[in-house]
Amino acid sequence: MFGSLKKKLKSAIEKVSKKLSEEKPEPVPEIKEEAVPEKKEEIIEEKPVEETKKEEKAVKKEEVKEKPVEEEIEPEEKEEIKEEKKEEEEPEEVKEPEKEEIEEEEKKEEKPEPEKEEISEAVKEEKEEVKKEAPIIVEEKEEVREEIKEEKPEKVSRLGRLKKGLVEKFVKKVKEKSLTESDIEDVVKELQVVLLENDVAFSVVEKICDDLKKDLVGKSVGRSKIEGAIKESLKKAMLDVMSQEKIDIEERIEKKYSETKEPLLIIFLGFNGTGKTTNLCKLAYRLKKHKPVLAAGDTFRTASIEQLEEHAKRLGIEIVKHKYGADSAAVIFDAVKHAKATGSKLVLADTAGRSHSNVNLMDELKKVCRVNKPDMKMLVLDSVTGNDIYDQSRLFNEAVGVDAMILTKADVYEKGGAALSASYTIEKPILFLGTGQEYEDLKEFMPEEIVNSLLE
């Protein structure tokens, strides 16, 4: 089932993903490491400890130099003292004017002593200031050194981070591929050809490709995972096209009967030879517990009534029929009345096949629906029809309003595009797939299962 589409999708995806994964990554531009300019901090150069010691020595030398001044003054004082002593020893012949001169000289000699004291005090103050400043200079110097030491690792870490970032960027470019619009165009071109070759309507192809672009452009994918990413994105797009609101027929049957005590009426319609009668009987077999009644509404085709009678006998269920050429709407109306009378919960009505382009036949179908007001209108489509499914589903839906679909001959249909086109065109669910000639060969349509099998 859908083998051709599956095969071609697989080869197209593999071809494109291989091409993308083998693309050489663009070389990362070399970034020269520029020397980081050192911040010249305005630091007042403080003299180191050694220089402070030298200063102390210089101060001491100055003190030493100053001492001779004191010594120079001392010998003069000594001589004066000696002279004074001599004068004292001398008899009191010394005149009074001389005494006055001596006293004046003594006063003059006594004046240098305060200078000595001032000099020694200044020296002491300088020493104390030097001692106080020295540890501050050391501390400040140590702080400056610590700041410089702290700054160096920062510079190293910045360079390290830059190198690490460049390496990671290069490794990412080698391992991963950032999908651009031009890359996706390659995927889209391949995909468009594959889908159109496999009976997918052009509008559906455009929808799938647009969704694929939106999902993949700008996406960063590992080079070994490109194929998987394309498949995953395509899966989403295809499911979006096929996934419609599901209809639970059994739930509807029970709901209507419990509320109104009337049977649920399902009318089968479609093109000639699509398999309406056969698939009607398959559904009757599937819902046999609800005691279905068959209505032979196809009064035009030769042997259509006999065909339905034979199926009813095999299934052991009742059938309501009229003569050939009778009004199809009347046959179905009688079948509904009979089902009410017998307590049946379901009526399955057959109708003649008709071309969707034949206005008179489509008007007759409108009358059947208008008279009987069916609960569901089931469109039966032949999968092998190809792209004409698009027009069939659209025109039948416009004429009477389709509720759900059955795709027949799916077991021999290799292309698979019909399922995508029909569901998207009228936005109605496909309920079943006809997969053979036996009554059991009516498979519930599961979009995820179909898409997974196509892309596995």
Side-chain angles (χ1 to χ4, degrees):
M1 187 169 67
F2 306 157
S4 173
L5 179 59
K6 180 179 178 179
K7 187 178 178 181
K8 288 185 177 181
L9 277 174
K10 187 177 180 181
S11 63
I13 291 168
E14 284 177 356
K15 181 182 174 182
V16 174
S17 58
K18 188 178 180 182
K19 182 183 173 183
L20 292 174
S21 60
E22 287 176 357
E23 268 185 17
K24 290 181 180 179
E26 294 177 6
V28 179
E30 290 184 6
I31 298 172
K32 292 180 181 179
E33 291 181 11
E34 295 180 1
V36 181
E38 291 183 5
K39 292 180 181 177
K40 292 182 179 180
E41 294 179 5
E42 293 181 2
I43 302 168
I44 298 166
E45 290 187 2
E46 301 288 346
K47 293 176 182 178
V49 180
E50 293 175 1
E51 289 181 11
T52 53
K53 288 179 179 178
K54 285 178 183 178
E55 284 181 358
E56 286 177 6
K57 287 178 182 178
V59 170
K60 286 178 181 177
K61 283 178 183 178
E62 286 176 5
E63 287 175 6
V64 172
K65 285 177 184 178
E66 287 171 358
K67 281 179 183 177
V69 175
E70 293 174 5
E71 288 172 0
E72 287 174 3
I73 297 164
E74 283 174 2
E76 290 176 0
E77 288 177 357
K78 286 177 181 178
E79 287 175 2
E80 288 173 358
I81 291 162
K82 285 177 182 179
E83 288 174 1
E84 287 175 2
K85 285 180 180 179
K86 286 177 181 180
E87 288 173 358
E88 286 175 1
E89 288 174 0
E90 286 176 1
E92 295 177 357
E93 292 176 0
V94 182
K95 297 176 183 179
E96 290 181 1
E98 287 178 1
K99 284 183 182 179
E100 290 176 0
E101 286 176 5
I102 291 163
E103 285 176 3
E104 286 175 4
E105 284 176 5
E106 282 178 1
K107 286 178 182 177
K108 287 177 182 177
E109 287 171 0
E110 287 174 3
K111 286 179 182 177
E113 287 180 4
E115 287 178 6
K116 292 178 197 175
E117 289 175 2
E118 285 175 7
I119 291 163
S120 60
E121 282 176 7
V123 171
K124 284 179 183 179
E125 284 176 3
E126 283 179 6
K127 282 182 183 180
E128 286 175 1
E129 284 177 5
V130 170
K131 285 179 183 179
K132 286 178 182 177
E133 286 175 2
I136 293 166
I137 292 163
V138 173
E139 286 175 8
E140 286 178 358
K141 193 69 183 176
E142 285 174 358
E143 284 176 9
V144 171
R145 283 176 185 171
E146 284 175 7
E147 284 175 9
I148 292 162
K149 283 179 184 178
E150 285 174 3
E151 281 177 5
K152 282 181 182 177
E154 280 179 18
K155 289 174 188 174
V156 173
S157 63
R158 281 172 196 163
L159 290 171
R161 283 199 295 272
L162 181 62
K163 286 178 183 177
K164 192 179 177 183
L166 286 170
V167 170
E168 285 176 358
K169 190 177 179 183
F170 181 72
V171 169
K172 192 177 180 182
K173 276 212 166 193
V174 172
K175 288 186 176 181
E176 294 185 4
K177 168 78 177 170
S178 184
L179 299 174
T180 61
E181 197 163 345
S182 59
D183 295 329
I184 305 306
E185 281 298 326
D186 295 337
V187 181
V188 167
K189 283 176 186 175
E190 290 286 336
L191 190 60
Q192 280 177 336
V193 173
V194 170
L195 293 174
L196 288 170
E197 282 178 349
N198 286 275
D199 297 340
V200 181
F202 186 71
S203 61
V204 181
V205 173
E206 282 189 325
K207 172 73 168 68
I208 291 171
C209 291
D210 286 345
D211 287 352
L212 195 70
K213 275 185 184 179
K214 286 176 186 176
D215 193 43
L216 288 178
V217 172
K219 196 173 186 178
S220 187
V221 185
R223 290 182 180 272
S224 60
K225 297 177 182 178
I226 289 174
E227 186 179 340
I230 293 170
K231 281 184 177 181
E232 190 63 31
S233 184
L234 184 58
K235 179 183 173 182
K236 286 179 189 174
M238 292 172 79
L239 281 173
D240 189 48
V241 164
M242 286 194 288
S243 298
Q244 306 295 338
E245 189 179 353
K246 284 188 176 183
I247 294 173
D248 190 335
I249 295 176
E250 292 193 58
E251 187 182 331
R252 287 195 176 193
I253 291 167
E254 294 296 338
K255 187 179 179 181
K256 184 171 182 182
Y257 190 77
S258 63
E259 289 175 357
T260 63
K261 299 297 179 184
E262 292 182 1
L264 187 82
L265 174 60
I266 301 175
I267 288 181
F268 283 71
L269 43 96
F271 196 77
N272 306 71
T274 56
K276 291 184 297 299
T277 305
T278 304
N279 283 278
L280 179 149
C281 296
K282 287 179 182 178
L283 188 60
Y285 172 79
R286 191 182 183 96
L287 302 171
K288 196 174 178 181
K289 64 180 182 180
H290 300 290
K291 298 178 183 180
V293 172
L294 305 184
D298 184 358
T299 59
F300 177 77
R301 179 172 62 86
T302 305
S304 60
I305 296 171
E306 287 79 7
Q307 182 189 5
L308 198 62
E309 266 187 308
E310 183 60 30
H311 282 303
K313 283 178 186 177
R314 290 182 182 182
L315 292 169
I317 55 181
E318 295 180 340
I319 180 174
V320 173
K321 60 179 182 176
H322 286 190
K323 293 180 181 180
Y324 284 103
D327 185 2
S328 182
V331 177
I332 296 167
F333 183 81
D334 288 345
V336 172
K337 280 183 76 176
H338 177 74
K340 280 183 187 178
T342 57
S344 174
K345 296 179 180 180
L346 178 64
V347 175
L348 299 173
D350 195 11
T351 60
R354 63 203 72 225
S355 172
H356 48 284
S357 58
N358 190 316
V359 178
N360 293 330
L361 292 174
M362 293 302 284
D363 286 341
E364 185 185 4
L365 185 62
K366 288 177 186 178
K367 178 193 169 186
V368 171
C369 293
R370 188 170 61 250
V371 170
N372 292 285
K373 296 178 182 175
D375 299 293
M376 279 184 70
K377 294 176 278 289
M378 188 80 73
L379 178 62
V380 181
L381 297 167
D382 187 347
S383 299
V384 187
T385 304
N387 265 324
D388 193 46
I389 275 183
Y390 176 80
D391 289 325
Q392 285 185 26
S393 56
R394 181 174 59 82
L395 291 170
F396 271 101
N397 188 52
E398 286 174 3
V400 295
V402 173
D403 296 301
M405 293 174 283
I406 294 176
L407 283 182
T408 64
K409 305 171 191 176
D411 53 324
V412 294
Y413 181 52
E414 290 295 305
K415 293 188 173 181
L420 295 168
S421 298
S423 188
Y424 179 72
T425 302
I426 61 174
E427 297 182 348
K428 295 297 189 312
I430 297 169
L431 296 186
F432 301 103
L433 294 174
T435 57
Q437 294 299 313
E438 301 299 323
Y439 293 123
E440 296 88 355
D441 295 332
L442 190 68
K443 185 180 179 181
E444 189 176 350
F445 182 75
M446 304 292 288
E448 287 187 9
E449 189 180 318
I450 299 294
V451 172
N452 287 336
S453 68
L454 286 173
L455 298 175
E456 67 183 7

